[in-house]
């Protein structure tokens, strides 16, 4: 199934702008249409009112009868709209038609309420299948000594009005539509110009070699600077990771080369050894094989901790359970074990990466057992905690580490002396694991001799 190609940023912005312009045009059209109709009504209503007033001024009483002499000019003033039809009616007292069209519709009220003198009322009604605009004006008269009202109603179809309204709307919207098209064109090309710096950044990155992780120096607008800064920061971290990986591979190759060379030398020597010397050669091969196996395990542990420390996938865990698991996997839990855990905490809940911390504490316990364990002074682990976090102290009675060397031992493949056992990776693993949880690890002298490793893990 083919995936739809996503719209470009230019197309998206242009679509949004075009939508806004179209909605604006619709709103302007409705406003202009209302204004055009209102303006046309005001203009033509003056003609209707003038015609009605001209007719009512000719109303007179002759022999107690209403007489109307409809002037030609009263209706001629409405002939400016040749397509429109004109209707009129003169209504006497009792709603009796004096002259004109007797079936003209009256206003909504069933009877005409006496208005103020010469007041004109306008209304719209359908008449003979067309929409007609009417004007009606009244005047009080006396017939046979009885006062009454005479009304003059003049109507005109709305064809000319609608034509004027349309011309008004078109005249108002035509330049607006033209300006809208010009604005859309300006937006389209303007967006292209605004996005040109992104293309320059892409071209610069595409032209680089795979190993070129220098910061981007292409000039960009202020709005794009955060994106460029983020890319530069990502490339800086990537470069640091690659450098670390290169150093790790170089150091690991160097460290592994020594036991491998020794294994080969002992194997070759064993081939020429006499039977009684063969045992010593095999023992040397076993020692170097164990050393190589330990180094490989440490390298795998370091790679695992480094990866998970960067990912920082934290879940609920218990520090007490982690310490007990590290003790079981390192020293066992049989009676008389030389590793003892002391704590008053029944639970120690926290958030973190259980695997990473187990590896860290296994390395600390293993180092303590290798360098400082004896039958009279077992390794002691103490767990304390409060609302801010937990403190784990791992103490032994070994020779300790000189204060001047305590920072260096956290680097990879660093050992205090050539005769110091181990691969020199354990404490580097510990520091990376603890710092990924926002904690710290320090080395202090133990009272009475030995070394204490203090690990502080805050509550995240």
């Amino acid at each position: 199934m083919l995936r739809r190609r996503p719209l470009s940023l230019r197309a998206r912005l242009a679509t949004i702008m075009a939508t806004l312009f179209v909605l604006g045009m619709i709103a302007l059209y409705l406003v202009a249409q209302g204004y055009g109709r209102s303006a046309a009504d005001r203009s033509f209503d003056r003609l209707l009112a003038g015609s009605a007033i001209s007719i009512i001024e000719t109303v007179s009483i002759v022999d107690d009868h209403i007489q109307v002499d409809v002037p030609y000019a009263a209706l001629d003033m409405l002939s400016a709209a040749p397509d429109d039809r004109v209707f009129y009616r003169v209504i006497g007292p009792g709603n009796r038609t004096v002259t004109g069209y007797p079936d003209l519709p009256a206003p909504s009220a069933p009877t005409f309420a006496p208005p103020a003198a010469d007041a004109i009322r306008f209304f719209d009604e359908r008449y003979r299948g067309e929409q007609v605009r009417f004007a009606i004006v009244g005047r009080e008269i006396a017939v046979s000594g009885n006062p009454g009202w005479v009304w003059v109603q003049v109507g005109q179809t709305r064809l000319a009005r609608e034509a004027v309204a349309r011309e008004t709307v078109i005249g108002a919207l035509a330049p607006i539509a033209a300006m809208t098209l010009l604005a859309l064109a300006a937006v389209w090309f303007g967006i292209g110009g605004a996005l040109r710096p992104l293309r320059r950044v892409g071209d610069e990155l595409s032209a680089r070699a795979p190993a070129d992780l220098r910061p981007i120096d292409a000039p960009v607008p202020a709005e794009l600077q955060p994106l460029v800064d983020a890319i530069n920061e990502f490339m800086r971290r990537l470069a640091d990771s690659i450098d670390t990986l290169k150093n790790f591979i170089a150091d690991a190759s160097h460290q592994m080369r020594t036991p491998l060379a020794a294994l080969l030398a002992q194997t070759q020597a064993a081939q020429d050894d006499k039977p009684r010397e063969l045992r010593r050669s095999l023992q040397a091969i076993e020692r170097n094989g164990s050393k190589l196996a330990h180094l490989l395990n440490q390298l795998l542990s370091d790679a695992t901790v480094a990866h998970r420390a960067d990912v920082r996938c934290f879940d609920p865990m218990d520090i007490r359970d982690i310490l007990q698991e590290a003790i079981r996997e390192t020293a066992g839990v049989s009676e008389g074990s030389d590793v003892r855990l002391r704590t008053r905490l029944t639970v120690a809940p926290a958030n973190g990466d259980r695997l990473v911390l187990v590896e860290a504490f296994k390395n600390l316990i293993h180092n303590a057992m290798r360098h400082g364990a004896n039958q009279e002074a077992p390794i002691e682990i103490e767990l304390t905690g409060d609302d801010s976090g937990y403190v784990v102290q791992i103490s032994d009675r070994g020779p300790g580490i000189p204060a001047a060397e305590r920072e260096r031992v956290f680097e990879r493949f660093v050992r205090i002396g050539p005769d110091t056992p181990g691969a020199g990776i354990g404490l580097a693993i510990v520091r990376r694991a603890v710092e990924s949880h926002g904690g710290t690890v320090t080395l202090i002298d133990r009272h009475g001799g030995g070394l204490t490793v203090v690990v502080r893990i805050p509550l995240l």
Side-chain angles (χ1 to χ4, degrees), residues 2-276:
L2 296 177
R3 294 181 59 186
R4 292 185 58 187
R5 185 177 179 181
L7 290 176
S8 65
L9 186 57
R10 171 191 277 191
R12 292 182 182 183
L13 293 175
T15 301
I16 294 173
M17 296 300 296
T19 302
L20 293 177
F21 279 129
V22 169
L23 293 177
M25 284 290 296
I26 294 175
L28 287 175
Y29 171 77
L30 295 176
V31 173
Q33 186 180 48
Y35 174 78
R37 290 177 63 90
S38 177
D41 281 343
R42 286 196 300 270
S43 298
F44 282 88
D45 283 352
R46 292 190 184 97
L47 297 178
L48 276 179
S51 178
I53 291 173
S54 296
I55 294 174
I56 203 169
E57 286 178 349
T58 65
V59 174
S60 60
I61 304 299
V62 178
D63 297 332
D64 290 332
H65 292 285
I66 298 175
Q67 184 175 347
V68 181
D69 185 12
V70 178
Y72 175 79
L75 301 178
D76 185 61
M77 65 177 64
L78 299 178
S79 64
D83 295 331
D84 277 320
R85 300 172 61 191
V86 179
F87 312 95
Y88 75 94
R89 178 188 180 195
V90 178
I91 308 168
N95 291 338
R96 181 177 58 87
T97 299
V98 178
T99 184
Y101 294 81
D103 59 341
L104 287 184
S108 300
T111 57
F112 300 129
D118 295 329
I120 300 175
R121 181 178 178 184
F122 298 94
F123 63 97
D124 289 275
E125 293 287 348
R126 292 195 65 82
Y127 179 64
R128 296 188 179 183
E130 296 182 87
Q131 195 72 16
V132 181
R133 178 75 168 176
F134 290 101
I136 186 167
V137 62
R139 176 173 296 177
E140 190 175 15
I141 61 174
V143 180
S144 301
N146 297 318
W149 283 82
V150 61
W151 303 88
V152 174
Q153 180 179 356
V154 180
Q156 184 185 32
T157 54
R158 300 190 61 94
L159 296 179
R161 295 169 184 259
E162 298 297 337
V164 171
R166 283 195 299 272
E167 291 177 2
T168 302
V169 172
I170 293 174
L173 291 184
I176 296 176
M179 290 300 297
T180 298
L181 294 177
L182 291 176
L184 286 175
V187 167
W188 178 260
F189 292 106
I191 292 173
L195 297 179
R196 193 170 293 116
L198 280 178
R199 184 177 296 275
R200 287 200 298 267
V201 171
D203 293 341
E204 179 180 338
L205 292 176
S206 299
R208 290 187 178 186
D212 188 355
L213 297 176
R214 292 178 294 108
I216 299 173
D217 57 1
V220 295
E223 291 80 4
L224 295 180
Q225 192 60 48
L227 173 62
V228 173
D229 292 341
I231 294 175
N232 288 338
E233 175 62 20
F234 172 76
M235 290 197 298
R236 184 193 66 77
R237 289 188 284 113
L238 182 60
D240 291 342
S241 297
I242 293 175
D243 291 340
T244 301
L245 180 61
K246 290 179 179 178
N247 294 332
F248 175 78
I249 293 174
D251 292 339
S253 300
H254 174 73
Q255 294 294 326
M256 293 176 67
R257 193 175 292 116
T258 300
L260 283 174
L263 280 174
L264 291 174
Q266 292 295 333
T267 302
Q268 293 172 358
Q271 294 175 359
D272 300 328
D273 284 344
K274 296 178 181 180
R276 63 180 182 179

Side-chain angles (χ1 to χ4, degrees), residues 321-331 358 361-362 365:
D321 291 344
I322 288 175
L323 289 173
Q324 291 174 338
E325 180 178 345
I327 294 171
R328 284 195 303 270
E329 295 185 11
T330 308
V358 167
F361 288 123
K362 282 169 59 178
I365 296 171

Side-chain angles (χ1 to χ4, degrees), residues 344-361:
R344 294 183 178 181
L345 302 177
T346 56
V347 292
N351 284 324
D353 191 321
R354 182 184 185 90
L355 176 61
V356 168
L357 289 182
V358 167
E359 287 296 319
F361 288 123

Side-chain angles (χ1 to χ4, degrees), residues 307-320:
H307 169 69
R308 296 181 69 95
D310 290 336
V311 175
R312 290 175 59 87
C313 184
F314 290 172
D315 295 306
M317 61 180 186
D318 191 293
I319 302 296
R320 179 188 173 99

